[in-house]
């Protein structure tokens, strides 16, 4: 269901509204890629379902829309080399049960090592590849980023030490660990 603005009436049924949203999603994908069969339009040959799953991670990882294609490149670079995605939002999604939501809200901010080890088909710290389904409802810019990632060699990213919602991207674990330390010093 594509998040967007829709011209609906108070007497539209829920079913009609869902159909509007599905139709808009399909129109936008077809307008951009010519088909709903998008495998030939992305380098990993992801199905439309897999693109939506990847886009949901990009949506939750990004604060700044301008970084979505770079975040997509990191996740896709990891997929290409069979590396764990280690996406914190997948853990947030995996641990969100009634008790956790009541205590922390839907997206628990400060994850623990125990959280990162939670067995779940959504936890990309323990399961290689994409989770089994979307963890959020991605907007169309995140879907485009999933289809059209930036060309980078980055394998890591962390929230920036600027504390402004931006990220620091790294090719090496050593560089990544430096930025993690800087974030901790300046933002926590």
């Amino acid at each position: 269901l594509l998040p967007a603005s829709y011209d609906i009436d108070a007497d539209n049924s829920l079913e009609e509204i869902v159909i509007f949203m599905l139709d808009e999603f399909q129109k936008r994908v077809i307008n951009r890629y010519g088909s709903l069969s998008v495998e030939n339009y992305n380098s990993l040959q992801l199905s439309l379902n897999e693109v939506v799953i990847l886009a949901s991670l990009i949506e939750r990882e990004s604060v700044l829309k301008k970084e979505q294609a770079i975040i997509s490149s990191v996740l896709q670079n990891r997929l290409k080399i069979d590396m764990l995605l280690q996406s914190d939002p997948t853990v947030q999604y995996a641990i969100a049960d009634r008790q956790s939501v009541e205590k922390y809200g839907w997206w628990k901010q400060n994850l623990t090592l125990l959280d990162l080890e939670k067995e779940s088909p959504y936890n990309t710290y323990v399961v290689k590849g994409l989770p089994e389904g979307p963890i959020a409802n991605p907007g169309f810019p995140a879907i485009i980023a999933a289809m059209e990632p930036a060309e980078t060699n980055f394998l890591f990213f962390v929230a920036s030490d600027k504390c402004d919602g931006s990220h620091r991207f790294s090719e090496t674990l050593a560089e990544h660990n430096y930025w993690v330390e800087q974030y901790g010093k300046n933002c926590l």
Side-chain angles (χ1 to χ4, degrees):
L1 302 177
L2 187 70
S5 295
Y6 296 92
D7 188 18
I8 58 173
D9 297 320
D11 60 341
N12 285 124
S13 70
L14 182 57
E15 183 177 283
E16 290 171 320
I17 294 168
V18 168
I19 290 170
F20 292 152
M21 296 175 83
L22 290 171
D23 285 348
E24 184 62 23
F25 173 81
Q26 290 180 1
K27 279 186 226 169
R28 289 193 192 188
V29 170
I30 290 169
N31 284 344
R32 187 153 187 117
Y33 302 105
S35 170
L36 293 177
S37 298
V38 297
E39 292 86 347
N40 295 328
Y41 299 97
N42 65 81
S43 63
L44 294 180
Q45 297 185 312
L46 301 172
S47 68
L48 186 57
N49 186 55
E50 291 168 325
V51 167
V52 171
I53 293 168
L54 178 59
S56 75
L57 274 62
I58 295 164
E59 185 73 40
R60 286 291 305 139
E61 288 282 11
S62 61
V63 174
L64 306 176
K65 298 295 181 210
K66 67 182 182 181
E67 291 186 343
Q68 287 185 333
I70 304 170
I71 290 170
S72 179
S73 77
V74 172
L75 297 173
Q76 292 194 43
N77 288 342
R78 284 176 164 239
L79 287 169
K80 286 175 190 172
I81 63 172
D82 204 28
M83 184 177 180
L84 288 168
L85 295 180
Q86 296 180 317
S87 172
D88 288 358
T90 67
V91 177
Q92 292 169 319
Y93 185 85
I95 65 170
D97 58 20
R98 171 171 276 144
Q99 189 176 34
S100 174
V101 170
E102 287 174 5
K103 189 172 182 179
Y104 304 109
W106 185 257
W107 303 103
K108 181 183 176 187
Q109 294 302 305
N110 298 315
L111 297 173
T112 65
L113 290 175
L114 192 58
D115 293 334
L116 299 180
E117 296 169 355
K118 171 147 176 109
E119 288 293 327
S120 167
Y122 290 93
N123 182 352
T124 58
Y125 275 82
V126 296
V127 175
K128 280 190 177 177
L130 293 170
E132 69 176 22
I135 61 164
N137 197 12
F140 203 66
I143 292 167
I144 292 170
M147 289 287 294
E148 304 170 29
E151 290 187 30
T152 76
N153 293 318
F154 297 136
L155 290 174
F156 306 94
F157 65 94
V158 65
S160 170
D161 53 318
K162 296 177 188 175
C163 315
D164 63 356
S166 66
H167 291 86
R168 297 289 189 173
F169 299 91
S170 306
E171 292 181 19
T172 68
L173 183 58
E175 183 182 8
H176 173 68
N177 287 338
Y178 170 80
W179 289 121
V180 168
E181 183 180 327
Q182 295 308 302
Y183 174 77
K185 285 180 184 177
N186 294 322
C187 301
L188 297 181

